[in-house]
Amino acid sequence: MHQLRLVDNDSPPVRWRETDFAEEIPSVALSALAAYYPLARCPDRLAVEQWIASEPGLSGPHCAVFQLAEDGIEMIRQGSEVCSGAAAALARIIEQDILGKEDGARRYEIQTDDLRDATVLPLLQNARLCLAVVI
């Protein structure tokens, strides 16, 4: 694990590590990351929903879709491999870490019954949606 410390700032160090995309990121998550750039540039929600529906890797059993609601985030689609604990953890992550920030793909480790890798694609600015892939 490498550490990066901000100059002239007493904040705790920022931790980062190198990622071997071929070894560490599952192929389903890589497919989602590859689709993020064009998805984020789709003009509206309908175009995003059509793209997601047409890609098996984005609408499969490892995927969940969340939308902005009046009082936060709500899940509108949950794949069979996304357990309720993972869905709840993702909703908290989106509400606490993603809302109100610049869109950009993010990866998390979430603890449910076991440790899971989650890739979150915020599409809030153009579609008011978040796509999550949980492996």
Side-chain angles (χ1 to χ4, degrees):
M1 181 81 59
H2 303 281
Q3 290 188 13
L4 176 65
R5 188 173 293 278
L6 300 175
V7 178
D8 296 331
N9 192 341
D10 291 331
S11 65
V14 176
R15 296 184 186 277
W16 62 277
R17 67 181 177 87
E18 294 177 11
T19 300
D20 182 343
F21 283 80
E23 297 286 325
E24 295 184 51
I25 300 178
S27 61
V28 175
L30 274 177
S31 296
L33 288 170
Y36 184 65
Y37 182 80
L39 276 171
R41 278 142 185 83
C42 284
D44 58 27
R45 182 175 175 143
L46 181 59
V48 169
E49 288 175 331
Q50 288 174 342
W51 185 305
I52 290 171
S54 70
E55 294 289 327
L58 301 180
S59 58
H62 293 280
C63 299
V65 179
F66 298 83
Q67 72 177 359
L68 287 178
E70 289 181 20
D71 57 346
I73 288 290
E74 66 181 3
M75 187 171 53
I76 57 173
R77 190 171 1 161
Q78 178 178 0
S80 60
E81 295 293 321
V82 181
C83 68
S84 60
L90 286 166
R92 280 192 310 275
I93 287 169
I94 294 166
E95 288 174 343
Q96 296 173 0
D97 192 46
I98 296 175
L99 282 180
K101 296 186 177 146
E102 293 282 327
D103 284 357
R106 295 164 168 85
R107 296 192 64 239
Y108 298 90
E109 286 185 340
I110 55 175
Q111 182 70 46
T112 56
D113 294 339
D114 54 357
L115 192 62
R116 300 284 186 109
D117 176 79
T119 300
V120 180
L121 309 179
L123 302 163
L124 301 170
Q125 294 180 17
N126 63 335
R128 300 177 52 87
L129 295 172
C130 268
L131 172 66
V133 177
V134 180
I135 303 295

